[in-house]
């Protein structure tokens, strides 16, 4: 976790635009993101800080709204909170150990979406709780809301969608879209084309819903510019340069997008052909954090220096 803070600081110094963190429970990594997000917010001044994604099957929406509001205020309004139904976890139905279970007739995915909708309602800032007539200290007039409240955070919630259907649902609710390196396999087309179609379906639904602001869309990719012997040793041999198809559970066939590892001039040509990257406004680079802060700073710098300018990326 301390290295994650240091890497976020390094990313800001190098000129990257954000630091986003994956969240997994029952694993020796990041299970509780808000202390880390608040710490990164206190140590940085410019970059976005976010998640990709928080599994809403595990979350109390009101408690989460308090934590998110605090982290956003500490960072000066830079929080970009990615949430979702979640991916397969380390334990079977781990959310049950956290005290949650779906209502009768619902699935765990239904429960996650219900938690997400409640979070969105609370982040809207409207009061809903009846005040105590004899409080410990004076209340403002009317019903009370969850505090701390951070104005604008509601517009910086992202939904990690695995399918076109959930992307459309996210658009209808006014959430931004995160699309990862893993989505449901819904046709025989390559991953990047399926993902581009998911993004278009999302944008169409957003426009139909009549939201006033412009949505944001991110895609995730593993991209490594091979510029020295370390890069070639780590990523030059085992390059996953084709999509992979498999089942993430008994019923869901998924497609996992290819990775990119090549000399910068080759990378630029390959990435120009990725239609989902072109359709998105934000690219999240996955980095091998187990290799330490210095090497990952090098990975980020290599993309920013040798690849991003030729593609018109910020």
């Amino acid at each position: 976790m301390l290295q994650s803070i240091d890497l976020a600081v390094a990313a800001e110094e190098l000129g990257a635009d954000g630091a986003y963190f994956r969240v997994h429970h029952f694993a020796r990594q990041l299970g509780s993101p808000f202390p880390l997000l608040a710490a990164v917010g206190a140590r940085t001044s410019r970059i976005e800080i976010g998640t990709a994604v928080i599994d809403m099957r595990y979350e109390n929406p009101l408690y989460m709204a308090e934590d998110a509001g605090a982290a956003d205020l500490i960072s000066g309004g830079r929080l970009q909170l990615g949430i979702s139904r979640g991916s397969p976890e380390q334990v079977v139905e781990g959310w049950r150990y956290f005290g949650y279970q779906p209502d009768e007739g619902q699935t765990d995915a239904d429960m996650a979406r219900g938690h997400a909708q409640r979070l969105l309602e609370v982040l809207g800032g409207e009061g809903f709780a009846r005040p105590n007539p004899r409080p410990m200290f004076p209340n403002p007039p009317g019903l009370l809301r969850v505090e701390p409240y951070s104005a604008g955070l509601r517009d910086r919630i992202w939904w990690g969608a695995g399918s076109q259907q959930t992307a459309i649902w996210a658009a209808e609710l006014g959430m931004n879209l995160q699309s990862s390196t893993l989505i449901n396999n819904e046709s025989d087309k390559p991953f990047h084309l399926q993902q581009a179609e998911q993004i278009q379906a999302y944008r169409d639904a957003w426009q139909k819903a009549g939201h006033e602001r412009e949505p944001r869309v991110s895609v995730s990719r593993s991209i490594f510019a091979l510029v020295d012997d370390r890069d070639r040793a780590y990523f030059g041999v085992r390059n996953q340069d084709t999509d992979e198809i498999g089942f993430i559970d008994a019923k869901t066939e998924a497609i996992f997008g290819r990775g990119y590892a090549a000399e910068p001039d080759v990378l630029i040509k390959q990435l120009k052909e990725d239609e989902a990257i072109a359709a998105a406004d934000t690219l999240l680079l996955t980095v091998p954090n187990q290799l330490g802060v210095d090497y990952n700073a090098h990975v980020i710098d290599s993309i920013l220096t040798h690849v991003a300018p030729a593609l018109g990326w910020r």
Side-chain angles (χ1 to χ4, degrees), residues 9-32:
V9 172
E12 179 171 80
E13 292 173 349
L14 290 168
D17 293 321
Y20 288 67
F21 301 93
R22 285 175 168 163
V23 181
H24 290 286
H25 298 285
F26 297 101
R28 298 188 67 180
Q29 46 175 297
L30 182 60
S32 178

Side-chain angles (χ1 to χ4, degrees), residues 3-168:
Q3 287 187 338
S4 295
I5 298 169
D6 290 341
L7 183 56
V9 172
E12 179 171 80
E13 292 173 349
L14 290 168
D17 293 321
Y20 288 67
F21 301 93
R22 285 175 168 163
V23 181
H24 290 286
H25 298 285
F26 297 101
R28 298 188 67 180
Q29 46 175 297
L30 182 60
S32 178
F34 291 105
L36 176 62
L37 294 170
V40 171
R43 288 279 305 277
T44 58
S45 61
R46 179 186 57 81
I47 58 171
E48 297 177 345
I49 54 176
T51 53
V53 292
I54 296 173
D55 188 335
M56 292 303 293
R57 295 175 296 182
Y58 289 79
E59 294 298 323
N60 177 318
L62 273 67
Y63 196 2
M64 184 178 181
E66 291 180 338
D67 282 347
D72 195 43
L73 290 170
I74 289 170
S75 71
R78 291 181 284 130
L79 191 62
Q80 303 285 342
L81 205 59
I83 64 176
S84 187
R85 185 209 70 173
S87 57
E89 288 285 343
Q90 301 300 108
V91 299
V92 176
E93 296 183 344
W95 30 270
R96 293 189 185 275
Y97 298 100
F98 279 59
Y100 301 111
Q101 61 181 7
D103 293 335
E104 185 175 352
Q106 286 193 329
T107 66
D108 60 315
D110 294 328
M111 178 177 67
R113 286 189 286 270
H115 287 178
Q117 287 177 278
R118 182 59 177 145
L119 174 67
L120 295 176
E121 292 170 359
V122 173
L123 291 178
E126 294 296 324
F128 59 89
R130 184 168 60 91
N132 186 342
R134 288 184 290 273
M136 181 178 297
F137 37 82
N139 282 320
L143 299 176
L144 302 183
R145 66 189 180 192
V146 164
E147 300 286 355
Y149 170 71
S150 185
L153 179 56
R154 168 62 176 81
D155 289 341
R156 287 178 273 118
I157 305 299
W158 306 59
W159 183 260
S163 66
Q164 283 199 26
Q165 181 181 359
T166 53
I168 291 170

